[in-house]
Amino acid sequence: MNTAGIQLGVCLAAHSPLGLRRALEVTSDLGDLWLDLPTDTPLGLVDPRRCLRDRDYLDEVAKALVGARVGCVSNSRDAQLLLGPHGRHTDPVATGTPARKREHAVDCALGSIRLAERIGAPAVRLLVGCPDFAYWLSWPGDPGGWDRNVADFFAHAEPIMAAARDSGLRILLEPHPKQIVYDRISSASVLAAAHPDAELIDLCVDPANLAAMGHDPVAAVTGWAGRMYAVHAKDLQRSGHAGQPPGNGWSRYGPQPPIRFRALGCGELDWPAIVAALLDEGFTGVVYVEHEDVLLPREQSLARGLALLGSLLPAGTPEGRTW
């Protein structure tokens, strides 16, 4: 039994093709785990718009979740339309004008908050997009830089943050190249912003996402001064090919060489060092195993990840050197 204070969970998105009830049944076979429950409309597990407006539907979802330990209700695809981009490439999520797409994002975020409040989940994780990626670079005559994106976030997220405050929930942002928080500096600019809503925000850190952009995955989980609420766990494989590598699942996070995500232990990340860093930091949140490996079945991928993490967490009180 893990006595480290670190808890294990899974992201239920892995089982979204099964529907909510079956996904919960299959996940329960993996053990007594915390769940990251996605409400993304393309996944079809939960419809956050109905959670917002339909009390009977909200009660139905809550009933299905009785006995499940949901540590986080999340929305990645719909919520991204809060800040954009709002071009045609986001039409599969929601169509219409930028204002209509932003309205869709707010509704889905509010529905996620309503669900979290209903079932007693303490946090809602949102990927909120980014209004202007050009601010990755500096522009002569425009000293605002990335702070303009941060200001846009707090302006457009006001109804979301008000609902979170009223419900006593934390809002989690996940550093990712599509988001206003994509590295330590941009994350710190949101957490330390001179805005009253900044105090409601913590982070869900995914070392693989940061490593895909060239950051140290061990350093990614250290030094957050208690603002790292949760961790996502998957592995990373980087390609050395000059062109597109053979096989499935390869993508690019910007101008870097191709990468693909793997089950824990199938890539190059030093997960023993990452877990040791979490223990050294005194982290007591949940590490959620993700499945984004195109080479392994989801059950095998999740079981492998949970087994690896379980083997790295202390099963009792460490004695230190005894001789």
Side-chain angles (χ1 to χ4, degrees), residues 126-143:
L126 302 173
L127 269 67
V128 296
C130 177
D132 194 342
F133 294 109
Y135 281 121
W136 276 337
L137 304 173
S138 60
W139 296 90
D142 188 351

Side-chain angles (χ1 to χ4, degrees), residues 22-274:
R22 182 58 182 152
L24 292 170
E25 291 173 359
V26 171
T27 304
S28 68
D29 292 340
L30 295 171
D32 186 20
L33 301 167
W34 288 97
L35 301 179
D36 179 325
L37 172 65
T39 63
D40 306 60
T41 56
L43 295 182
L45 282 175
V46 178
D47 188 334
R49 299 162 298 183
R50 293 186 64 188
C51 287
L52 180 62
R53 298 185 173 94
D54 186 340
R55 170 65 65 175
D56 290 340
Y57 176 76
L58 183 63
D59 290 343
E60 178 185 332
V61 174
K63 183 178 180 180
L65 291 166
V66 169
R69 294 200 296 165
V70 180
C72 174
V73 175
S74 62
N75 192 289
S76 302
R77 303 187 191 184
D78 304 290
Q80 181 156 312
L81 297 181
L82 181 71
L83 299 180
H86 297 121
R88 62 184 180 183
H89 45 302
T90 58
D91 283 351
V93 177
T95 58
T97 64
R100 175 65 193 95
K101 290 188 176 188
R102 182 171 288 121
E103 181 183 358
H104 173 81
V106 171
D107 282 352
C108 290
L110 293 177
S112 299
I113 289 172
R114 181 70 59 82
L115 176 59
E117 181 183 30
R118 176 68 173 78
I119 65 176
V124 172
R125 180 178 60 85
L126 302 173
L127 269 67
V128 296
C130 177
D132 194 342
F133 294 109
Y135 281 121
W136 276 337
L137 304 173
S138 60
W139 296 90
D142 188 351
W146 202 258
D147 287 343
R148 293 185 184 275
N149 286 334
V150 175
D152 281 351
F153 163 68
F154 283 111
H156 292 302
E158 184 174 343
I160 298 170
M161 305 307 292
R165 187 181 296 276
D166 290 344
S167 301
L169 296 171
R170 306 299 297 172
I171 294 295
L172 310 184
L173 301 181
E174 181 177 342
H176 186 283
K178 285 184 177 181
Q179 310 305 311
I180 56 162
V181 292
Y182 67 92
D183 64 358
R184 183 171 292 274
I185 295 173
S186 59
S187 299
S189 69
V190 172
L191 297 178
H195 192 287
D197 288 340
E199 68 182 15
L200 302 178
I201 298 172
D202 287 322
L203 298 178
C204 175
V205 176
D206 186 330
N209 279 338
L210 290 164
M213 296 182 285
H215 298 284
D216 184 335
V218 178
V221 298
T222 64
W224 290 113
R227 301 298 291 274
M228 184 174 67
Y229 190 95
V231 173
H232 277 183
K234 56 180 180 277
D235 218 326
L236 176 72
Q237 185 179 0
R238 280 180 272 223
S239 171
H241 287 259
Q244 180 68 18
N248 297 323
W250 295 99
S251 62
R252 296 205 301 156
Y253 272 18
Q256 293 92 345
I259 59 96
R260 68 178 172 186
F261 295 118
R262 300 295 315 279
L264 293 191
C266 295
E268 59 188 69
L269 299 191
D270 189 347
W271 271 98
I274 293 171

